[in-house]
Structure formats: C-alpha cells, structure tokens
Amino acid sequence: MSASTRDLTRLFRPRSVAVAGASTNVDSAGHDYVRSLREFGFEGPVYPINPKATEIAGFKAYPSLRDVPGEVDLVISCVPASAVLDLVEQCAEKRVPFLHLFTARFSETGDEAAARLEREVHAKAAAGGVSILGPNGMGVYHPAGGVAFRPDLPQDRGGVAFLSQSGNNAVEVIVRGNARGLAFGKVANYGNGVDITPGEMLRWLADDEETKVIGAYIEGVPDGRGFFEGLRAAAAKKPVIIHKAGRTQAGARSAASHTAALAGSADLWSTVIRQAGAIEARNQEQLLDLMVAASRLPRPQGRRIAVVGGGGGRSVQSADACEENGFEVVPLPGAVRERVRERAPMLADWVGNPVDQSILAGSGLSSNGLLELMLQSDAYDLAIANIGEDWFLGRPDAGDRLRHACNRLVGVVKSTDKPVAVVMGPTETANHEHRQLLDSVRDELIAQGLALFYSVERAAFALGKLAP
C-alpha cells in the first residue's frame, strides 16, 4: 500500500458509529442512517446525536458527540453546514478517525462563502487527524459490515466495489445491479471528494481482498495524477470499469453544479482510462453490463465466439454484433458438424454459426445441444446463448417449455469453464402473464449464477471489452 494511502478499513467497517443530526422524523436522512444500522444488523454501538431526543430508531440518543461514552470510528453528519466546524472540533477531541459529511451546500453551490467554509472544514479536520468522506455525499454502503445509507437497499454481500460521485446514481447502480445478480461489497458515494478522493480509494481497493471487481461513476477529480495512479494500481490487479460523466459541455456544467466537479476533456479521459488499463463505459447500461460480465463470467481467453439461439433475423444481428465488437464468428468446424450429422443428419450441411434456432424444429437437436457441442470444441473460446423467449411464448405450455429449455441451458453453462453470456430480452409485452413468466424465469437464471443481458448487442459489447 502506498504511503500516501490511508487505511480505510474503519471507514467501511467501523466498530462504532455516531449519527450527528439524528432525527425522530422517519422521513429524513437523520433517521434513515440510524435505522439502516439497525436493519443491516450493525454489531457495534450506535450513538444517535440529538439534544432533544432520548431514543431514535431503538437506540439511546445523546445531546452531543462529547457526551458519547465510548470511542467512535465513524461519525455521520446530517447537521447543517453552519454546524460542521463545531462537529469537526468534537471529532478531533474524541479522536474520531472518519467523518462522513452527508451535509451539503458547500462548494457545489458555486457560492464563494460556501466554498471557503468547505476549505476551513477540511483544514480543521486535517489538523485534528479526522479524515472526511464528502461533503455532499451519501457515504458508505457495506452490507458485510452492517453499514448502509438507506434501510431499503439489498443486503446481499459480495465482491463488487463501486465508487460514485453521485448519490442517486449509487442507489440506481446498487438496485439495478442487484436485480442482475451483482452482490456488492464496498460502495462509497463521496460527493465533492474534498479529502478522501476516488484515486485514494482505488489504491486501497486494489489490495482489498474482499473486492474482486471495481466500478466507478466519475464526474471530475480533484487530483488528476493521484486518480491515474490509483486507477492504474487497481486495474493491474482486478477489472475496473469507469463511467465518466460530464463529457459534453452541458454535462460538464451540470457536474459543476452537482458536485463541484471539473469534468475535463472527453478524449483526455478516454486516454487516461485506457492507459491505466481500465475499461470505459459511456452510460449506466454499459457500466452494469460490464460489471455483470466481469463479476459473473470467467475472463475470455480468446475472441473465437459461438452464438446460438434466436431466429434467422436474430442470427444475422448476432453475427453483426459479434464481428463489430472484434470477435471471430468461426464457422462450424468439421468435427462438430460430424457430431451433428450423427444426431440430426438433415441439419449437418445446413446449420452454421450463429445457430438459427428456427431450423432446428423437429430435428431432435436443440440450440442447447448445439451449444454444448460447440463449447466442447477447441475452435471456440466463448459463447453467447440467445434464449429465444418469443418462440416459447407462442407455443402451448409456454412456461413449462421455457423453463425446461432454461434448465437445460443452466446445465450446459455450468459444465464448461468458458464464458457464456445469456441473452433474454427485456419484458416488452402487453401480455401480463407473459411479463410475469419472463421476469420469474430471468430471476431464476440469475439465481443460478448466469450472466444475463437484455440484447445480443449489449452482451457482445461487454464481452468484447473484457476479451484479450
């Protein structure tokens, strides 16, 4: 670990937490932080700070941080900006190592007096040995440590870390990612990033054993060199995906008013991300797709791809998507073709790669059977499996047929060490029963550990970014 990197263990896994500005109002952040600690089963002492309350969310309240009887690893601030300097002084007196400032209305407002106050807060905290996360950020989400910034967030635990300059974006990525099987470890929404920077957190996460994949949403950084060095250190050890926002003039203006970020040139950012060895995402969908692929699939060892499932049109689109993302759509090799001839002679000289599911009916060979044969061949490094759910929905006993095919697919995917991305389209149908069926089957496949994508284009893009 670099000498300039602080040990952030007690930020993500504090032994005790105080919430300054804790509230009895259930519709407030000051209540949510306290309740989240209870809902997530935080095991250490919790100290709500409120001079007018005796109890908040089941925990005894204290008039001030000075009145707290024990040591405190993390203080969460929900007090107004005008009260933060005094809170910093109390933190220094109590030797609190970490202060998370949910408190906002500092430099992001564009007001010079507010920016000056932010600088004073930072200087006073540094002099007192207090490290700041924020201001203007929702803070830490670490289910394994019992810490979260909202009580309704998923409690699944895993190895995906995520850094976000935006609080709402952090919530969206956690919720949407969890629905696709992402289990998060350490998440930090750092807001203005006045003290603990994304570069420093990347350096620390590089050596964090819990973290296997890192994603980040960045609007701007206060320390360009530090960010690059942290990014390079992390990307050398594990997949790192960066969603850089504020690439346009309008986006840069919005970023400045949102988190006081200096957005910078889009081309420069792309170059920095590439040179550091990380992967760039241009939107939240790409970020999620890449995180799903990196965390739920083995790393591709080559670019020779097998594609199965879907009708004729889907097959053509699949071939285009794969080649456009740098894959070699290898024709069916002779050895595989001969095995097809043994099981379905009429298909042997007809079927190809991508496999057109529409020609398989009545042949005795399914797209899953062909996928299994192709994955057993040394001619392919990875695969995309289109479920072709629309065909099943038009048949009698659609649910039983679809589930039978998907169960077979799960077995094929689990029998190989090659990455297989599974494509099941979005639930875009006016038929309520079909919507329920598709959503439930998708959830079942995700629970089985499969990496699901909403289109072959998105699957090919994510695999293409991760393949050598």
Side-chain angles (χ1 to χ4, degrees):
M1 188 178 295
S2 168
S4 61
T5 304
R6 287 166 281 197
D7 184 356
L8 303 182
T9 300
R10 295 305 173 201
L11 172 64
F12 289 100
R13 193 184 282 273
R15 293 164 297 187
S16 55
V17 180
V19 180
S23 175
T24 56
N25 177 6
V26 296
D27 188 21
S28 68
H31 189 86
D32 277 351
Y33 281 106
V34 181
R35 183 182 161 206
S36 295
L37 293 164
R38 185 189 67 198
E39 297 292 333
F40 275 74
F42 182 74
E43 296 181 353
V46 176
Y47 305 111
I49 308 300
N50 184 321
K52 297 181 180 180
T54 57
E55 179 270 336
I56 295 174
F59 297 102
K60 179 182 176 180
Y62 295 84
S64 74
L65 184 60
R66 292 186 178 95
D67 297 307
V68 169
E71 295 182 354
V72 179
D73 282 340
L74 173 65
V75 171
I76 300 171
S77 168
C78 297
V79 302
S82 59
V84 170
L85 282 173
D86 178 63
L87 179 61
V88 169
E89 184 176 320
Q90 294 185 53
C91 287
E93 291 175 9
K94 292 281 292 184
R95 297 187 177 180
V96 173
F98 292 103
L99 169 62
H100 155 224
L101 290 175
F102 172 75
T103 306
R105 298 193 177 181
F106 286 101
S107 59
E108 77 278 5
T109 64
D111 180 73
E112 176 52 35
R116 184 167 57 251
L117 176 59
E118 181 176 281
R119 293 192 294 270
E120 292 174 5
V121 166
H122 183 201
K124 190 167 189 175
V130 180
S131 297
I132 293 177
L133 181 67
N136 185 33
M138 296 181 74
V140 171
Y141 167 73
H142 183 216
V147 180
F149 41 73
R150 272 180 39 169
D152 60 335
L153 293 176
Q155 296 195 20
D156 298 332
R157 304 173 179 189
V160 179
F162 185 60
L163 308 178
S164 180
Q165 201 153 0
S166 163
N168 284 336
N169 183 81
V171 173
E172 290 170 2
V173 168
I174 291 169
V175 172
R176 295 180 66 189
N178 181 259
R180 293 182 61 187
L182 292 181
F184 289 89
K186 298 176 173 69
V187 176
N189 166 221
Y190 57 89
N192 295 1
V194 69
D195 183 18
I196 300 174
T197 65
E200 183 174 0
M201 286 189 281
L202 284 167
R203 285 196 301 275
W204 187 79
L205 289 170
D207 296 318
D208 178 46
E209 293 184 358
E210 179 188 58
T211 299
K212 309 303 180 186
V213 174
I214 303 172
Y217 169 85
I218 305 290
E219 293 174 359
V221 294
D223 58 336
R225 171 59 63 179
F227 177 80
F228 177 77
E229 291 177 350
L231 181 60
R232 183 171 58 182
K237 296 186 176 183
K238 52 199 72 174
V240 181
I241 300 104
I242 302 295
H243 175 196
K244 173 63 181 72
R247 299 186 305 274
T248 65
Q249 290 185 357
R253 288 196 302 271
S254 180
S257 63
H258 178 214
T259 57
L262 299 175
S265 160
D267 290 341
L268 176 60
W269 268 96
S270 295
T271 300
V272 166
I273 293 169
R274 182 177 64 254
Q275 289 184 349
I279 302 168
E280 183 178 12
R282 287 299 184 101
N283 51 54
Q284 191 180 95
E285 284 69 31
Q286 289 184 359
L287 173 71
L288 287 168
D289 287 343
L290 287 162
M291 292 168 71
V292 166
S295 64
R296 293 175 74 84
L297 291 175
R299 196 78 180 249
Q301 298 302 303
R303 287 187 167 268
R304 300 170 303 167
I305 194 164
V307 186
V308 303
R314 175 67 66 85
S315 299
V316 176
Q317 295 169 54
S318 297
D320 285 341
C322 289
E323 192 163 300
E324 287 170 351
N325 282 282
F327 290 108
E328 181 184 359
V329 186
V330 178
L332 213 62
V336 174
R337 197 172 294 280
E338 287 308 308
R339 295 187 67 183
V340 172
R341 193 181 307 279
E342 295 170 2
R343 298 169 61 177
M346 62 177 291
L347 287 179
D349 297 320
W350 185 9
V351 70
N353 179 32
V355 175
D356 179 352
Q357 183 174 294
S358 65
I359 71 175
L360 303 181
S363 70
L365 188 60
S366 67
S367 59
N368 287 327
L370 271 166
L371 174 64
E372 187 172 38
L373 293 177
M374 296 168 83
L375 288 170
Q376 291 170 355
S377 170
D378 292 337
Y380 300 103
D381 302 304
L382 71 166
I384 294 177
N386 291 290
I387 290 176
E389 61 280 356
D390 289 329
W391 181 86
F392 291 99
L393 296 179
R395 311 310 301 161
D397 302 321
D400 291 340
R401 292 192 183 200
L402 178 58
R403 281 194 162 87
H404 175 77
C406 288
N407 288 336
R408 173 81 171 95
L409 175 60
V410 170
V412 172
V413 172
K414 291 189 174 183
S415 70
T416 181
D417 57 1
K418 298 176 182 179
V420 180
V422 176
V423 174
M424 187 174 184
T427 312
E428 294 177 344
T429 172
N431 186 308
H432 182 68
E433 291 183 0
H434 288 176
R435 288 204 304 270
Q436 286 187 318
L437 173 62
L438 294 175
D439 285 340
S440 64
V441 170
R442 183 182 291 107
D443 289 344
E444 291 164 13
L445 293 175
I446 289 171
Q448 288 288 343
L450 271 60
L452 260 69
F453 300 85
Y454 291 110
S455 72
V456 70
E457 289 79 9
R458 288 173 63 171
F461 167 82
L463 289 171
K465 291 291 187 179
L466 293 169

